[in-house]
Every structure is written in C-alpha cells, then in structure tokens.
Amino acid sequence: MIAMATMEAAADLVALLADEGVQHLFINPGTDTAPVQEAMSAARAAGAPRPETVLCLHEHVALSAAIGHHLASGRPQAVMVHVDAGTLNLGGSIHNAQRNRVPVVVFAGRAPYTTATDVRGHRDSAIHWQQEQLDQAGVLRAFGKWHMEVPRGRELAPIVRRAFQVVQTDPRGPAYVMLPREALMEPGAGELPARLRAPVPAGPDPTALRQLAGILADARRPVIVTGRTGAHLPSVPTLVRIAELLGAPVADQRDRVNFPSEHPLWAGAGESPLRRADAVLLLDVEVPWVPAMAAPPADARVVQIDVDCAKVTMPLWSFPVELAVTADTRVALPQLEEALCALATPERRRVWEARRIEVEAELAPVHEGWRRRAASTGAADAPDAALAALDRALPGDAIVIEEAVTNRLAVQRQVHRAPGRYLQHGSPALGFAMGGAIGVKLARPEAPVVAVCGDGSFNFGVPTAALFSAHRMGAAFVAVILNNRSYHASKRPVLSLYPDGAAAAARDFPETELTPQLDYALLARACGGDGRSVDSPADVEEAVRWALDVAAGGQCAIVDVQLPAP
Ligand SMILES: Cc1ncc(C[n+]2csc(CCOP(=O)(O)OP(=O)(O)O)c2C)c(N)n1
Ligand SMILES: [Mg+2]
C-alpha cells in the first residue's frame, strides 16, 4: 500500500513541500484532498520527510496562520483548501498575504474532470458538478501573482517547484495551484526535479544610489519613512546609524520593529515630521503618507528604495518620487551608509550633528507626552495606560502581534519590543491576529506570543477555529482584546464626513456598537482555554502575567480589557 501511495503524484507533493522548507501545511480537507491525506499518512508511517499538518476549522485561520508563520520564520508557506468553496473562505486573508508579500502557495482541490469509472479519482458525488466553476482561479486572480492547474500527475512536481520559485521572487506574494483528483492519483515524476531557486535579492544601481545619497546629504530637513525594513533584523542597527549620522527623524509605520521606539529620533507613525521635510527617504513603505493628513511640501525631494518601487498592484499610486531605486533594503542600506559616510565632510558632519540635536529636542516633548499618557488615569488615555501595563508584564522575548485598529498608534508608542518581536499584518483585512498567533507560535515555540486586537478584529479572526487549532497543535498564545464594544473605526468616518449630520446630532451611529456584550472569557473556556475580564488599566499588568502563565501551561488565555466607550 505504501509503495503504491509513494508512486502517486500526491506523494511527490508531500516530499516537495518538505524539500521546499515548509514546516507546516495549514489544511482544511475535502473530498478532493484524499490522495494528499493518504500520502501524508504513508509518509508518517515511513518516517519520510513531510510538513506537519495543521487542521484548521476555517480557511481564513489557515492562511492567517501561514502569514504569521512566515512573518516569524521567514520561511515559504503552504495552505491547502477545498476546491472553490474553501478558496472563497480564504476571504480577506488572501488580501493580507498579497499586501504583506508573503511567499505562500495556496493549493486547492479541483473537482475531478471525468465520469469514466475506469479512471482513478473520477467523479463520485453530486458536489463534483456543483463545486466546479467556470473559472476557479478567478477568485484569486486579483490577489495572486501566478496560478496554474496540474494537468497530469507527472507534471505536479515541476509545477510545484515553479510555484515556490514564483512566490519567493520579489515582489513576493501568493500563488495558487489547483489539484484535480485524477492528477493527484496518477503516477508522479519518478525522480523529483531540482529546486528552482529564487533570484538573489536585488542590489541598487551604484550611480543611482550615490545620487540618492547626495540628495540626502544636501537636505536641510531630511526625513526617513519606513514600513518593513526591520523584517531583516540587521537592517535595524544600520538604519539607526544612518538616521543618527544625518540627524533625520524616522517616521515609522511599524509593520515590524524598524527602529527602536525609545530612540530619540523615533517619531512614531502618528506625529509626522513630514510637513517640514525638504527631502524624504522612503524605505519599504506601501503608502508613504496620506495627502489629506500630513504630506511633505510640494518641493520636497522624495527618494525611494524598495524591491517594488512603482507598486503596480495599487491602481492609484502617484506619489511624487524623484528617484526610485529598485533594491532590497537589506542589500542597499549598508551601501547607502557607505555612500553617506563618503560624503560626510567635516563641515557636513557639523551641520548634521547640530540638526540631530535640534530634531531630538523637538521630539523629546512628543516622547514625554507618550509617557504621560502611559501614566494617566484619564478615560481618554485608558488605551495607552492599559498598553503600557501590558508592556510591563511582557518578558523581553515575547512576540506581539498587533491588530488594534484605532488603538494602533497607542500600541506603537507604548509597547516597546526588540527587532523581530513585533509583527503587524500591514494590510487592512481584519481577522489576522488569532490565526496569525498560531503560525507565530508554531514558528517560534520558545517565545510567548501575544495577540493584541480590537473586539471587532477578534471576531473577524474566527476565534473558535483559531483556539481549536492552537490547542490541538500545542501552540497556545495570549489574546488581549482592547474591548471598546465598538467598531470605532467605522464610527469615526460618519462623524468626520458629517460633523453636523443626523448621526452626529442624535449620537446614533448605525451598526457600530458591538452590543450586547459577548463573554470572551467564557468563550476561551469553551474552547479549552481560559479567560479574564478586567475593567481598569490598573489591573492589566497582573492579568497579562496570569495569561502568560496559562499559555506557558498549554492553554490559550484571553484577557478582555474593558475600555471606556470611545
Ligand atoms: C475583513 C474586514 N471587514 C470589515 C472591515 C472594515 N472595518 C475596518 S475597522 C472596523 C472595525 C474594527 O473594530 P475593532 O477591531 O473593535 O477596532 P476599533 O475600531 O474599535 O478600534 C471594520 C469593521 C475590514 N477592515 N476588514
Ligand atoms: Mg472595537
């Protein structure tokens, strides 16, 4: 039986996933994954290399977990879902995989083609007609980089190799491979083809990089804007040296820890220094600024380093970049530092040093304001105070996943983490944190994992499914719900677009109040975990310490932090 299964294309798939470095296959099985389940069982029995399978009760959780795993491990990922229906259930997580540039191959069953009963895998259920679509790949077309169906068993291996190459080629992102049952059950490739390597990270054009350094060297008020530079941990100290050398504030969108949040040049994401900039350096930012909020002056010189400068997947992206250098910042930043040092004449160094003192003095009261909010007992500062208390409870190795929506800036300014220990999904499809936490915990089992989310985001994350997989896999984490009993983010625009409107006058913002209250602590217990509700920021520190202990013992713990209504 085992020999038979290992000859099938489905067995090639299991071996290929292991060989591509996929540690976990996040799966929700269906009628058409049977050959893969059989091959997985055979590989287990034989002790053959294979990824660990993670049963996910909802596909949104499966892909969120894969994204989290990648953010924490840097590895390519694989998800397997049931035909068109499972693909549709990926929902907003496929958008998150796209916008986070996650190298993930989504495998989906594909209804069998044939009714001929002498062909293995043939149709044997009414759903094989219902679940076949005119264009199954169309569901993902707007979000994926590439898709392909495996026509024959022996073609599976080269197609899977190609899929993993595509997803890991910059700009990275998801790919979709459809697996008809007949093909999975046909003989495989025999011998697996060699891995198709992704190209090495792009380096900057030397002349363009010198020009870019020159623009920064001559600027009076340079500002650095970053989003994900810290995904490569050694880039963090390099960026610190560049900012210190230039005396430039760092406007940090903080999808990762790009810059230490307690550094005097850290401007955070909220208090933008862009308005006074005469030169702006964009590093791995998807949306450099929001013109309606805080744009640099029209004559500011904007320069950029990114693997994907033009962002062609965003239809309207018309930021006035004077010099866009296509390069991976992990390669480009050390070269930029060198180029700046070469331009650092004693005269320039004096100017830059004086500017550094000036910028730090300007930012000092901003940092002081954040510390004041952390210590405040006022209702408006409750999120800051609660998050500062959370931060005090966290050990240095804890990894925080942030999906805090309108409290995002409060998390950014109050939760101080080392590089690699703060992950934001960097895209607006909510519901990432719960599934994401499973993936992060599987990738980094030694680290406590804490998801910080809004009450709305928590529910988008299909929490029953997420808690189930976390407990099944021994991947317990802590979830801290910033519970304002509200879709605050969906209420604010009603007020800002219609300040004198009917909704504002009646204090009635339709469908933004999450009442009646759900009992999240009880929900945690129903799913095999534990939970507590706290009414005051003063109780958060103790509750988070308790939750970390519960998670260390193998149970997920939810801390429901009741915040004042916004
Ligand atoms: C999948 C998805 N559905 C809907 C939205 C629209 N949306 C954006 S913010 C938000 C409310 C989030 O509520 P919560 O997590 O409690 O954060 P709060 O706004 O209260 O800070 C909604 C519904 C979205 N971004 N993603
Ligand atoms: Mg809320």
Side-chain angles (χ1 to χ4, degrees):
M1 280 303 286
I2 289 169
M4 172 80 186
T6 53
M7 287 166 56
E8 288 186 357
D12 284 1
L13 178 59
V14 171
L16 286 161
L17 293 175
D19 192 58
E20 292 286 344
V22 173
Q23 286 180 319
H24 294 90
L25 172 64
F26 300 96
I27 179 169
N28 185 270
T31 39
D32 304 318
T33 43
V36 180
Q37 293 158 275
E38 169 64 16
M40 196 59 84
S41 176
R44 264 185 215 160
R50 65 196 182 280
E52 208 175 337
T53 41
V54 181
L55 170 59
C56 297
L57 301 188
H58 196 289
E59 293 81 351
H60 186 277
V61 170
L63 184 49
S64 297
I67 295 170
H69 198 298
H70 170 72
L71 297 184
S73 69
R75 285 173 179 269
Q77 302 295 323
V79 169
M80 184 164 289
V81 300
H82 177 59
V83 294
D84 61 338
T87 303
L88 287 161
N89 265 5
L90 293 168
S93 62
I94 191 69
H95 157 105
N96 291 338
Q98 174 205 31
R99 293 292 181 223
N100 277 285
R101 301 194 197 143
V102 174
V104 55
V105 183
V106 177
F107 294 95
R110 196 252 176 252
Y113 280 100
T114 183
T115 53
T117 51
D118 60 332
V119 177
R120 297 178 73 228
H122 62 80
R123 289 189 179 197
D124 57 7
S125 161
I127 59 169
H128 288 145
W129 279 263
Q130 293 160 319
Q131 292 180 336
E132 183 178 44
Q133 296 297 339
L134 293 175
D135 183 8
Q136 182 176 321
V139 177
L140 290 203
R141 206 182 303 283
F143 306 94
K145 292 179 70 174
W146 178 96
H147 62 84
M148 194 161 177
E149 182 170 322
V150 173
R152 307 290 303 268
R154 63 167 185 265
E155 308 307 334
L156 181 141
I159 289 173
V160 170
R161 289 297 199 203
R162 175 71 176 143
F164 278 96
Q165 179 189 44
V166 167
V167 298
Q168 293 177 92
T169 296
D170 285 322
R172 295 178 298 178
Y176 188 57
V177 177
M178 289 162 289
L179 303 167
R181 214 158 70 161
E182 296 97 325
L184 284 172
M185 296 182 76
E186 279 178 2
E191 205 170 317
L192 297 184
R195 199 186 292 183
L196 298 174
R197 303 278 169 182
V200 296
D205 174 83
T207 310
L209 191 75
R210 272 197 303 276
Q211 211 180 325
L212 184 148
I215 291 172
L216 295 174
D218 290 339
R220 277 176 300 100
R221 290 286 300 194
V223 172
I224 298 168
V225 185
T226 173
R228 296 179 186 156
T229 312
H232 180 60
L233 303 188
S235 292
V236 178
T238 312
L239 186 57
V240 168
R241 288 195 302 276
I242 290 172
E244 289 178 349
L245 178 67
L246 284 173
V250 176
D252 186 1
Q253 302 180 354
R254 213 156 184 80
D255 287 357
R256 307 285 188 280
V257 174
N258 301 304
F259 203 81
S261 49
E262 282 160 317
H263 191 288
L265 287 172
W266 193 70
E271 272 68 24
S272 182
L274 279 171
R275 283 194 193 88
R276 292 179 53 203
D278 68 336
V280 181
L281 169 62
L282 306 177
L283 298 172
D284 304 314
V285 273
E286 297 298 285
V287 183
W289 59 80
V290 179
M293 311 277 284
D299 58 355
R301 305 186 71 179
V302 181
V303 297
Q304 179 188 28
I305 305 175
D306 203 306
V307 291
D308 176 22
C309 288
K311 317 278 175 204
V312 287
T313 67
M314 292 194 209
L316 188 69
W317 197 99
S318 14
F319 293 91
V321 179
E322 172 183 333
L323 179 60
V325 178
T326 301
D328 189 322
T329 50
R330 77 180 69 184
V331 183
L333 279 186
Q335 296 182 24
L336 176 62
E337 184 185 10
E338 246 174 68
L340 287 168
C341 286
L343 293 170
T345 57
E347 175 49 26
R348 276 197 171 122
R349 275 190 191 270
R350 269 194 296 280
V351 173
W352 295 351
E353 181 55 27
R355 180 166 63 214
R356 175 178 166 182
I357 293 166
E358 192 184 314
V359 170
E360 289 186 359
E362 285 166 12
L363 286 172
V366 175
H367 284 238
E368 182 48 38
W370 296 336
R371 283 190 290 272
R372 251 199 323 275
R373 296 177 84 152
S376 159
T377 52
D381 292 325
D384 280 76
L387 290 158
L390 164 86
D391 195 46
R392 287 194 295 276
L394 293 181
D397 62 342
I399 301 177
V400 170
I401 299 165
E402 182 267 299
E403 191 172 38
V405 195
T406 59
N407 287 311
R408 171 163 301 162
L409 294 179
V411 182
Q412 291 178 356
R413 63 190 171 229
Q414 302 301 349
V415 178
H416 307 290
R417 295 280 94 200
R421 306 219 167 252
Y422 180 98
L423 305 169
Q424 217 277 321
H425 70 323
S427 41
L430 295 178
F432 166 70
M434 293 295 285
I438 300 169
V440 173
K441 184 68 186 174
L442 288 172
R444 306 281 289 277
E446 75 295 345
V449 173
V450 179
V452 179
C453 50
D455 47 336
S457 307
F458 174 82
N459 285 295
F460 279 119
V462 201
T464 49
L467 293 170
F468 169 86
S469 296
H471 289 135
R472 186 177 158 91
M473 297 306 295
F477 59 87
V478 172
V480 175
I481 304 175
L482 301 175
N483 188 355
N484 53 15
R485 298 160 304 285
S486 167
Y487 280 163
H488 187 203
S490 310
K491 170 180 169 179
R492 284 202 303 205
V494 184
L495 200 52
S496 66
L497 293 173
Y498 299 95
D500 306 315
R507 308 302 300 165
D508 164 33
F509 301 92
E511 308 325 321
T512 61
E513 274 178 36
L514 303 191
T515 50
Q517 271 250 60
L518 296 170
D519 187 336
Y520 297 114
L522 191 59
L523 173 84
R525 284 194 279 280
C527 298
D530 207 347
R532 267 194 196 178
S533 177
V534 294
D535 295 326
S536 153
D539 300 327
V540 168
E541 188 173 340
E542 206 276 311
V544 171
R545 288 188 203 282
W546 166 82
L548 288 165
D549 280 347
V550 172
Q555 281 178 290
C556 289
I558 290 180
V559 179
D560 174 6
V561 181
Q562 298 279 327
L563 295 171

